[in-house]
Amino acid sequence: MQTRPIRADARRNRDLLVTAAMAVIAEEGPDASLNEIARRAGVGPGTLYRHFPTRDALLAAVSEGRLARLRARADELAEAMPPGEALVAWLRLLVVHAMTDRGLGARMMVAAPSSAGVDCWAMLRDAAERVLGPAQRDGSVRADVEAADLVELAAGIAQGAADAGRAERLLMLTLDGLRLAGGRAEGFSPRS
Amino acid sequence: MQTRPIRADARRNRDLLVTAAMAVIAEEGPDASLNEIARRAGVGPGTLYRHFPTRDALLAAVSEGRLARLRARADELAEAMPPGEALVAWLRLLVVHAMTDRGLGARMMVAAPSSAGVDCWAMLRDAAERVLGPAQRDGSVRADVEAADLVELAAGIAQGAADAGRAERLLMLTLDGLRLAGGRAEGFSPRS
DNA sequence: ACCTGAACACCGTTCAAGT
DNA sequence: ACCTGAACACCGTTCAAGT
């Protein structure tokens, strides 16, 4: 499959759209008007639809750079501190990311990859594994925890919390667990 | 403050609206068209706005009965089984509730009470306390956990999980905590 | 091959006119 | 005191016509 050269005006319009989308979404959140974004980019609505057939495709394009940065940060943290600490520090970043732009981040953590073009879900799982693996080998985290668990929990915390302070508290509760340190009550373990 | 008698047609229209809203929202979720709901109730859009000035006010009215039932179930469970088990069983119900009607439940757990008329948030916290209190006195749960934590965590899990199976897993992870049972790694506790 | 922008159906919301 | 429904501004989405 040979790829055709991309026309310069098409490439330029795509960039204009993503830039405009970042600005409008920062102001109005992920449900911002698509016509408004096209207007701000200086193109017709049809051009927006040609480049991004669904809203999620556009949102994914907006998120792509942030996700790449989040993955890079995972590597940096894993190198800079003990595995347990690196995991916690990265989870904090993940929750903050999920809360940015009125929940754009969290929305992309749940979105179906099919409609998106950029597979946000895979990028996040990939990033999570870089801090999760060491923490498990180190013995800080149970071996049965998966990268997907971390991503979904972070997305959930971001959406369930009213503000950043509450999110931090929920994250700590999740890490420590709600049960009493030490004795595990009987009915309190998963029923199989 | 004496309350005036409510006109029979007004009362009737209100009931028609709530019933229609339940049906439409069950099909299309909490973002369903308000005009469609009014149409289905057989009233003009103006009548809907007269009874429910905001969308959240209507959604709260739809949720009211379910929340009352959830509170009653908390009492029943607390009476029927040991505190730790009752808490887990009720949290399962809470997560299921949060997932019904494409996230209507979860949305009402986060919604600002001001706009709603019915204070869903307070009803849920009240219900949560009925299972949380005994579990804490019993020693199954840490004393510093609050009812609000349970509600926000359940709402988060419901929104972060793709389906019921994932939600159950996230709930169990949250209850148990992610860290290794026994030894707590250093960087793994809240930094003050 | 890509872009434009008018056009369509629909939505939330308001408000003059009715009873 | 409450209801009606036409009306307005806006939104998502499409598509014939252009370059």
Side-chain angles (χ1 to χ4, degrees), chain B residues 100-139:
Chain B
T100 49
D101 288 355
R102 304 203 198 175
L104 167 63
R107 174 162 172 165
M108 287 300 98
M109 295 189 197
V110 189
S114 53
S115 63
V118 179
D119 191 345
C120 297
W121 175 257
M123 286 187 74
L124 281 167
R125 228 188 28 214
D126 179 37
E129 267 155 10
R130 295 168 193 228
V131 280
L132 178 59
Q136 286 177 320
R137 282 190 290 279
D138 173 68

Side-chain angles (χ1 to χ4, degrees), chain B residues 47-125:
Chain B
T47 303
L48 187 153
Y49 278 88
R50 163 166 279 267
H51 286 280
F52 305 102
T54 66
R55 168 174 239 115
D56 273 358
L58 176 60
L59 297 182
V62 167
S63 301
E64 191 171 12
R66 304 177 190 180
L67 295 180
R69 239 170 295 143
L70 215 42
R71 190 169 49 191
R73 292 287 285 142
D75 286 332
E76 291 167 23
L77 290 169
E79 213 169 329
M81 54 186 78
E85 287 180 44
L87 178 63
V88 176
W90 187 78
L91 284 177
R92 280 205 184 91
L93 293 179
L94 184 59
V95 170
V96 168
H97 165 79
M99 292 183 84
T100 49
D101 288 355
R102 304 203 198 175
L104 167 63
R107 174 162 172 165
M108 287 300 98
M109 295 189 197
V110 189
S114 53
S115 63
V118 179
D119 191 345
C120 297
W121 175 257
M123 286 187 74
L124 281 167
R125 228 188 28 214

Side-chain angles (χ1 to χ4, degrees), chain A residues 12-176:
Chain A
R12 203 180 107 79
N13 277 335
R14 211 201 101 106
D15 292 346
L16 284 172
L17 280 164
V18 173
T19 304
M22 289 175 107
V24 176
I25 288 168
E27 291 168 24
E28 320 210 14
D31 289 323
S33 159
L34 297 178
N35 280 344
E36 165 72 16
I37 290 171
R39 205 153 35 229
R40 201 106 128 211
V43 305
T47 303
L48 188 152
Y49 279 89
R50 163 166 277 267
H51 286 281
F52 306 103
T54 67
R55 166 172 242 118
D56 274 358
L58 176 59
L59 296 182
V62 167
S63 300
E64 192 171 11
R66 304 179 190 178
L67 295 180
R69 241 171 294 141
L70 215 41
R71 190 170 47 190
R73 291 288 284 142
D75 286 331
E76 291 167 25
L77 290 169
E79 212 168 328
M81 53 185 78
E85 287 180 43
L87 178 63
V88 175
W90 188 77
L91 284 176
R92 279 205 184 92
L93 293 180
L94 184 58
V95 170
V96 167
H97 166 78
M99 293 181 83
T100 49
D101 289 354
R102 305 205 199 173
L104 166 63
R107 173 160 173 167
M108 287 300 97
M109 295 191 199
V110 189
S114 53
S115 62
V118 179
D119 192 346
C120 296
W121 175 257
M123 286 189 74
L124 281 166
R125 228 188 27 213
D126 179 36
E129 266 155 11
R130 295 168 192 228
V131 279
L132 178 59
Q136 286 178 321
R137 282 189 289 278
D138 174 68
S140 315
V141 176
R142 287 164 27 183
D144 67 324
V145 174
E146 294 161 17
D149 299 327
L150 298 184
V151 175
E152 288 181 9
L153 281 171
I157 286 169
Q159 287 179 298
D163 54 53
R166 293 293 306 163
E168 170 71 10
R169 175 169 170 84
L170 294 186
L171 178 58
M172 288 311 146
L173 281 172
T174 301
L175 291 176
D176 283 352

